[in-house]
């Protein structure tokens, strides 16, 4: 009898769950609320294949009001009223996990206030709701959960670092920097200062991740002429620490600050007018006196200090201005005019918005870099356990056991990292989550952020680290490569030029270094990488810039430096010839194809120009043999242009034939072949222009009386196909000139994966 009743109960519950699933998918949330009121068993009912409850679905659908009602009904139960809030799906996510990942501040406050223990619940990846908010860049939700967590009376809430790391060792600061959420990363740095020196399982700190993102810096981005002008005219403010997360909430309709999206241009114009008023009024002595008298005192009085270091904040550590102080009004006026132009011509256009976002990323990444370096401890001396103090680890003082043990040899054994324990923050130590795995502090060789930045050509970070930590110039990776060798190997000309400007003694010591295989900087310059490093099309031009890079490094080497062979008994010349065989072959094929196509056009133009130059428009006079139209200006233009077309076409044809018959040696790509190609294309373009001019001048005599007004449109239509061919070859022509006459090639940036 009892079995029958259980079956009927399970069937009824199954029907109820199916009905709850259907109405949830249809968005009939009023009926869902009524079911929660009538039947308390549906509070914990899993209605999807992934194990989600109706509360999970409501949070995912963004129904904040419905979630508030459901949470209120769940908390109204007398026995285990909050158990439904702790229900996890197959991935271990609660409703608070979903709310944090979506960035719903109201839902986060509602659920977290109902049960603060949910802030410490982890999913299968070890991610807490706070971590998911940082992972998806939800700054408002992150700050909301943070302040709710630290406001709890529970003693464990004081150790809020326990919610900042997941199973693979990544912290919330790792996730924010990896996702380019620099505004959130700044808040994390100020709220969780110790995370700056924390590392993940691979031993990488947040500074390592930032160094591996060259696109986040100006040195790793490339703009055209228009983009460069717009880039320098855009004003981007630096990030500021948020004193309270309520100030970061988006304005509501009750606050009177919201406006429709189609009013964006008007609001931009008002902001420009307000900015212009500030610029204009700032020129008057009285206003400057009042501003300097009161504002600066308040700023000095309210300027925060670092309690640990006793130093001022970043405002006192900024770099000197790029222009004198008395030029500020002129610069502000120029920026104001440029902003007005952007508003008039569509400041909100897609192209300009992309450039603005790019500059925001560049400015904010440098700001985050400065914050990380000001708190970094990677070059501080750390004592070992041989009669001295052992390394210090971040851990909760209330714990009875430490998450590691050090034996006599110096090996470190890490225990399983629990939620309350704090992993190591020492740079260079690889974390393990198994008791039987050991890490030796002396054997592992981890690349420092300086070396990673040198690989990716992040000149801002390299220069800043060398200024703050001069000892970092001696950093080497596992293959004993320093920053000079890495810059040369990865084709970073801007960084290499920056290093050449260092002190003379230091520069020579860096250039004389060799790696563990005996390769000097010249050996690495001669070795071709796995991908095309240069911003130039065509294999021949790639080969040209490889030769230029090799000789540029060779000329910069110390005068008395001589290291001919590496450990494989190979000279730089041998390595260059060995690694560039395929590039020489493909470059020769590219030159042959280009020369063949251009020589065909040059031959056709030469044929037409020869026939044209031997023809006299209007005939000649029988008595004297002189041309009938000799005194007409059009006749002179016809004769000269036809002669130029013939000479230039024959010249270009001869140059292209010389390229086809060339032996295509390595040294030929360094100057002879590119110069021939440039001269051939120049002659070809001149012959095309002269041929069109001679055609128009000769045909003008036919249309001068009847269709004189229609001559120009007719000539434009006839000349269009030939003009399109010339325009199609202009990019190659300009690339050839840039590659041939530029001393140092430009680098194409590619991120180095950690």
């Amino acid at each position: 009898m009892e079995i029958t009743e259980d079956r009927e109960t399970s069937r009824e519950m199954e029907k109820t769950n199916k009905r709850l699933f259907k109405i949830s998918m249809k968005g009939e949330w009023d009926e869902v609320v009524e079911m929660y009121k009538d039947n308390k068993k549906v509070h914990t009912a899993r209605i999807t294949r992934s194990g989600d409850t109706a509360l999970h679905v409501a949070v995912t659908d963004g129904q904040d009001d419905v979630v508030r009602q459901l949470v209120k009904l769940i908390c109204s139960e007398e026995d285990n009223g909050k158990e439904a809030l702790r229900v996890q799906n197959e991935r271990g996510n609660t409703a608070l996990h979903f709310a944090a990942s979506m960035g719903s501040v109201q839902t986060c406050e509602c659920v977290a206030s109902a049960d603060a223990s949910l802030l410490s619940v982890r999913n299968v990846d070890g991610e807490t709701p706070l971590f998911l908010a940082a992972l998806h860049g939800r700054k408002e939700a992150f700050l909301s959960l943070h302040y709710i967590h630290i406001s709890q009376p529970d003693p464990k809430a004081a150790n809020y670092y326990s919610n900042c790391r997941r199973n693979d060792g990544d912290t919330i600061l790792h996730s924010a920097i990896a996702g380019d959420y620099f505004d959130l990363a700044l808040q994390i740095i100020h709220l969780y200062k110790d995370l700056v020196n924390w590392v993940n399982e691979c031993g990488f700190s947040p500074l390592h991740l930032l160094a591996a993102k060259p696109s986040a810096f100006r040195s790793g981005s490339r703009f055209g002429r228009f983009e460069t002008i717009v880039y320098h005219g855009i004003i981007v403010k630096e990030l500021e620490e948020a004193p309270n997360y309520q100030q970061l909430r988006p304005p509501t309709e009750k606050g009177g600050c919201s406006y429709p999206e189609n009013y964006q241009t008007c609001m931009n114009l008002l902001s420009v007018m307000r900015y212009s008023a500030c610029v204009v009024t700032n020129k008057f002595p009285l206003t400057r006196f009042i501003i300097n008298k009161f504002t600066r005192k308040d700023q000095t009085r309210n300027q925060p200090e670092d309690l640990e270091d006793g130093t001022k904040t970043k405002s006192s550590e900024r770099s000197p201005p790029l222009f004198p102080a008395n030029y500020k009004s002129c610069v502000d006026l120029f920026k104001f005019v440029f902003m007005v132009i952007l508003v008039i011509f569509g400041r909100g256009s897609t192209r300009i918005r992309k450039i603005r976002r790019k500059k925001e990323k560049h400015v904010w990444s440098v700001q985050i870099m400065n914050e990380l370096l000001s708190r970094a401890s990677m070059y501080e001396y750390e004592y070992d356990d041989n009669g001295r103090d052992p390394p210090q680890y971040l851990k909760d003082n209330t714990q009875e056991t430490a998450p590691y043990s050090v034996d006599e040899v110096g090996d470190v054994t890490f225990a399983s990292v629990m939620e309350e324990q704090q992993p190591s923050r020492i740079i260079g130590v690889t974390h393990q989550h198994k008791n039987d795995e050991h890490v030796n502090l002396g054997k592992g060789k981890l690349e420092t952020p300086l070396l990673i930045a040198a690989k990716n050509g992040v000149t801002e970070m390299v220069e800043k680290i060398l200024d703050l930590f001069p000892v970092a110039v001696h950093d080497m990776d596992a293959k004993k490569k320093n920053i000079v060798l890495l810059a040369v190997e990865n084709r970073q000309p801007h960084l290499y030029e920056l290093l050449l400007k260092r002190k003379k003694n230091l520069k020579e010591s860096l250039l004389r270094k060799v790696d563990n295989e005996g390769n000097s900087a010249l050996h690495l310059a001669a070795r071709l990488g796995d991908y095309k490093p240069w911003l130039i099309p065509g294999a021949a031009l790639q080969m040209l810039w490889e030769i230029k890079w090799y000789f540029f490094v060779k000329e910069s080497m110390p005068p008395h430096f001589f290291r001919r062979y590496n450990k494989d008994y190979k000279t730089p010349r041998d390595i260059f010839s060995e690694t560039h065989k395929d590039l020489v072959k493909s470059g020769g094929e590219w030159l042959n194809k280009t020369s063949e196509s251009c020589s065909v056009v040059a031959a056709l133009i030469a044929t037409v120009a020869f026939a044209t130059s031997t023809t006299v428009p209007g005939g000649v006079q029988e008595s004297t043999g002189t041309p009938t139209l000799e005194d007409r200006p059009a006749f002179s233009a016809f004769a000269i242009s036809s002669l130029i077309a013939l000479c230039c076409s024959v010249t270009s044809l001869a140059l292209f034939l010389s390229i086809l018959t060339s032996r295509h040696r390595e040294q030929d790509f360094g100057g002879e072949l590119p110069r021939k190609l440039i001269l051939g294309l120049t002659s070809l373009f001149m012959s095309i222009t002269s041929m069109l001019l001679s055609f128009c001048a000769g045909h003008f005599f036919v249309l001068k009386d009847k269709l004189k007004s229609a001559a120009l449109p007719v000539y434009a239509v006839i000349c269009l196909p030939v003009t399109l061919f010339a325009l199609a070859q202009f990019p190659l022509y300009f690339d050839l000139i840039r590659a041939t006459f530029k001393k140092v090639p430009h680098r194409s940036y590619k991120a180095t994966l950690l």
Side-chain angles (χ1 to χ4, degrees):
M1 188 68 178
E2 295 179 357
I3 297 176
T4 305
E5 292 179 356
D6 293 339
R7 289 179 178 176
E8 292 179 357
T9 304
S10 61
R11 289 177 182 175
E12 292 179 359
M13 193 62 190
E14 184 178 356
K15 292 180 180 179
T16 304
N17 293 345
K18 288 183 178 181
R19 182 172 180 274
L20 184 61
F21 173 78
K22 291 181 180 180
I23 61 178
S24 298
M25 295 297 105
K26 293 180 180 179
E28 299 175 356
W29 296 109
D30 294 336
E31 296 187 17
V32 174
V33 174
E34 291 298 328
M35 290 187 66
Y36 262 62
K37 291 180 181 179
D38 300 336
N39 190 356
K40 296 182 179 180
K41 293 183 179 181
V42 301
H43 293 183
T44 58
R46 303 176 186 271
I47 61 176
T48 64
R49 289 187 176 181
S50 58
D52 298 326
T53 63
L55 182 61
H56 286 82
V57 179
V59 172
T60 306
D61 198 28
Q63 302 293 330
D64 295 338
D65 296 334
V66 175
V67 172
R68 189 180 300 106
Q69 297 180 37
L70 297 180
V71 172
K72 185 177 181 180
L73 292 174
I74 291 172
C75 296
S76 63
E77 296 184 23
E78 297 180 358
D79 298 333
N80 297 327
K82 299 179 181 180
E83 188 65 27
L85 298 177
R86 304 188 186 100
V87 176
Q88 298 174 269
N89 59 8
E90 291 181 354
R91 297 289 304 169
N93 293 317
T94 63
L96 186 58
H97 283 83
F98 283 1
S101 62
M102 295 181 62
S104 178
V105 179
Q106 297 180 0
T107 303
C108 289
E109 292 179 349
C110 178
V111 179
S113 301
D115 188 1
S117 64
L118 294 174
L119 294 170
S120 300
V121 176
R122 297 178 180 269
N123 57 15
V124 295
D125 296 324
E127 299 167 340
T128 60
L130 186 74
F131 191 96
L132 285 180
L135 182 65
H136 294 88
R138 312 299 186 182
K139 182 172 66 175
E140 292 81 6
F142 174 86
L143 294 175
S144 174
L145 294 175
H146 166 76
Y147 286 109
I148 291 175
H149 186 56
I150 64 176
S151 63
Q152 298 302 315
D154 188 1
K156 294 183 179 180
N159 185 19
Y160 51 86
Y161 280 87
S162 59
N163 295 334
C164 300
R165 191 190 288 274
R166 64 182 176 187
N167 293 341
D168 61 358
D170 283 345
T171 65
I172 52 178
L173 188 55
H174 285 84
S175 301
I177 292 177
D180 292 343
Y181 307 123
F182 297 123
D183 53 347
L184 175 59
L186 182 68
Q187 311 305 324
I188 294 175
I189 291 173
H190 288 287
L191 296 174
Y192 302 84
K193 297 182 179 179
D194 295 330
L195 293 184
V196 171
N197 294 308
W198 281 25
V199 296
N200 56 13
E201 278 186 341
C202 300
F204 296 120
S205 67
L207 192 60
H208 285 81
L209 298 183
L210 188 61
K213 300 175 73 67
S215 61
F217 295 89
R218 178 65 182 92
S219 59
S221 302
R222 181 172 176 264
F223 297 104
R225 294 181 179 178
F226 172 78
E227 288 82 1
T228 303
I229 296 174
V230 176
Y231 181 89
H232 290 291
I234 293 176
I235 302 173
V236 175
K237 295 182 179 179
E238 290 189 350
L239 298 171
E240 297 179 357
E241 180 184 0
N244 200 337
Y245 77 97
Q246 282 87 358
Q247 297 183 7
L248 295 176
R249 290 187 181 181
T252 58
E253 294 182 359
K254 294 182 180 180
C257 297
S258 61
Y259 49 84
E261 295 183 359
N262 55 349
Y263 284 18
Q264 182 65 39
T265 304
C266 298
M267 298 306 297
N268 291 336
L269 183 59
L270 291 176
S271 64
V272 170
M273 294 175 62
R274 184 170 63 250
Y275 178 76
S276 63
C278 296
V279 173
V280 174
T281 56
N282 193 33
K283 294 182 179 180
F284 295 101
L286 180 60
T287 57
R288 284 203 307 267
F289 173 78
I290 296 175
I291 293 174
N292 297 335
K293 186 71 175 176
F294 297 99
T295 307
R296 290 184 179 177
K297 288 184 178 180
D298 295 338
Q299 291 178 352
T300 306
R301 187 185 302 113
N302 299 328
Q303 186 175 16
E305 295 185 357
D306 195 333
L307 298 179
E308 296 179 0
D309 301 331
T311 58
K312 295 292 183 181
T313 56
K314 63 179 184 299
S315 60
S316 61
E317 299 178 355
R318 291 177 181 172
S319 58
L322 299 176
F323 48 85
N326 55 345
Y327 285 14
K328 188 177 186 304
S329 299
C330 298
V331 174
D332 291 340
L333 182 61
F334 171 76
K335 291 182 178 180
F336 162 69
V337 173
F338 191 81
M339 289 175 63
V340 172
I341 295 175
L342 291 181
V343 171
I344 295 176
F345 292 98
R347 183 186 180 188
S349 63
T350 305
R351 192 175 183 182
I352 297 178
R353 283 201 303 268
K354 288 182 179 179
I355 300 175
R356 169 173 287 275
R357 288 195 296 266
K358 201 74 173 178
K359 186 169 184 178
E360 288 177 349
K361 182 190 292 186
H362 296 163
V363 174
W364 295 345
S365 63
V366 173
Q367 186 179 358
I368 296 299
M369 178 194 69
N370 294 332
E371 293 288 344
L372 294 176
L373 290 175
S374 63
R375 295 171 171 82
S377 61
M378 69 187 88
Y379 292 102
E380 294 181 6
Y381 188 80
E382 294 171 350
Y383 294 94
D384 56 21
D385 59 336
N386 295 326
R388 290 169 289 185
D389 296 333
Q392 300 296 323
Y393 292 85
L394 287 177
K395 58 181 182 295
D396 189 0
N397 295 329
T398 60
Q399 298 172 2
E400 297 181 357
T401 58
Y404 72 99
S405 60
V406 183
D407 57 17
E408 297 179 355
V409 182
D411 292 338
V412 179
T413 304
F414 290 88
S416 299
V417 180
M418 305 300 292
E419 293 182 6
E420 297 82 9
Q421 292 176 332
Q422 298 303 323
S424 169
R425 66 177 178 90
I426 301 298
I427 296 293
V429 178
T430 304
H431 294 255
Q432 303 292 343
H433 293 277
K434 297 180 181 180
N435 294 331
D436 57 344
E437 294 181 355
H438 296 74
V439 177
N440 190 283
L441 291 174
K443 295 180 181 179
K445 190 70 174 179
L446 181 68
E447 289 185 344
T448 61
L450 177 66
L451 299 179
I452 298 176
K455 282 185 177 181
N456 294 287
V458 184
T459 57
E460 295 90 344
M461 183 173 293
V462 172
E463 190 172 8
K464 187 68 175 180
I465 292 178
L466 293 180
D467 291 339
L468 295 177
F469 309 103
V471 70
V473 76
H474 301 293
D475 286 354
M476 292 185 295
D477 62 2
K479 297 181 179 180
K480 296 181 64 176
K481 295 178 181 177
N482 60 2
I483 52 176
V484 172
L485 297 181
L486 291 175
V488 172
E489 182 183 24
N490 292 274
R491 304 316 195 246
Q492 304 293 353
H494 297 295
L495 177 58
Y496 188 71
E497 288 180 312
L498 176 66
L499 296 175
L500 291 179
K501 297 178 182 178
R502 309 294 294 185
K503 297 179 181 179
K504 182 178 180 181
N505 296 334
L506 181 62
K507 180 184 71 175
E508 291 188 0
S509 64
L510 291 176
L511 293 175
R512 292 178 183 272
K513 295 291 183 180
V514 294
D515 60 7
N516 57 358
E517 297 179 356
N519 294 316
S520 64
L522 194 58
H523 285 85
L524 298 177
R527 181 176 298 167
L528 182 63
D530 297 332
Y531 64 96
K532 295 180 180 179
W534 305 115
L535 276 173
I536 201 74
L541 300 184
Q542 291 280 337
M543 186 64 190
L544 171 61
W545 274 12
E546 280 288 302
I547 295 174
K548 283 181 173 290
W549 176 244
Y550 175 79
F551 283 103
F552 176 73
V553 175
K554 185 177 181 179
E555 293 173 359
S556 63
M557 299 296 288
H560 301 292
F561 178 75
F562 183 81
R563 190 176 183 89
R564 185 174 180 82
Y565 298 97
N566 60 7
K567 290 185 178 181
D568 295 330
Y569 298 99
K570 293 182 180 179
T571 63
R573 182 67 182 178
D574 296 335
I575 295 177
F576 189 91
S577 301
E578 181 181 347
T579 57
H580 289 79
K581 288 181 179 179
D582 296 335
L583 188 60
V584 170
K585 182 179 179 181
S586 57
E589 294 176 354
W590 180 83
L591 281 175
N592 288 337
K593 291 181 180 179
T594 304
S595 300
E596 287 176 359
S597 60
C598 292
S599 60
V600 172
V601 178
L604 293 175
I605 295 176
T607 304
V608 175
F610 179 79
T612 305
S613 61
T614 57
T615 303
V616 180
V620 296
Q621 297 179 1
E622 295 181 358
S623 59
T624 60
T626 58
T628 306
L629 305 175
E630 182 180 7
D631 297 333
R632 302 288 182 88
F635 181 82
S636 300
F638 170 81
I640 296 174
S641 59
S642 60
L643 182 61
I644 293 176
L646 178 61
C647 295
C648 291
S649 59
V650 173
T651 302
S652 63
L653 183 61
L655 290 171
F656 291 134
L657 290 177
S658 66
I659 294 176
L660 290 173
T661 57
S662 175
R663 290 177 290 178
H664 296 160
R665 298 174 299 177
E666 294 177 3
Q667 56 268 28
D668 294 340
F669 288 90
E672 180 181 350
L673 293 178
R675 283 195 293 268
K676 287 182 179 180
L677 188 58
I678 291 176
L679 293 176
L681 289 175
T682 303
S683 301
L684 180 62
F685 294 147
M686 291 180 63
S687 63
I688 292 175
T689 305
S690 301
M691 183 191 67
L692 295 177
L693 183 61
S694 64
F695 167 77
C696 296
H699 200 267
F700 180 76
F701 296 109
V702 180
L703 302 178
K704 66 177 181 178
D705 297 327
K706 298 181 180 179
L707 300 175
K708 187 176 181 179
S709 59
L712 184 61
V714 172
Y715 295 156
V717 173
I718 295 175
C719 298
L720 184 61
V722 183
T723 306
L724 291 178
F725 169 78
L727 293 177
Q729 298 298 325
F730 274 151
L732 173 62
Y733 182 70
F734 293 139
D735 289 336
L736 275 171
I737 295 177
R738 181 163 58 96
T740 304
F741 297 102
K742 197 169 187 63
K743 182 178 180 181
V744 183
H746 282 176
R747 174 72 162 78
S748 62
Y749 291 89
K750 178 181 177 183
T752 300
L753 300 178
L754 292 177

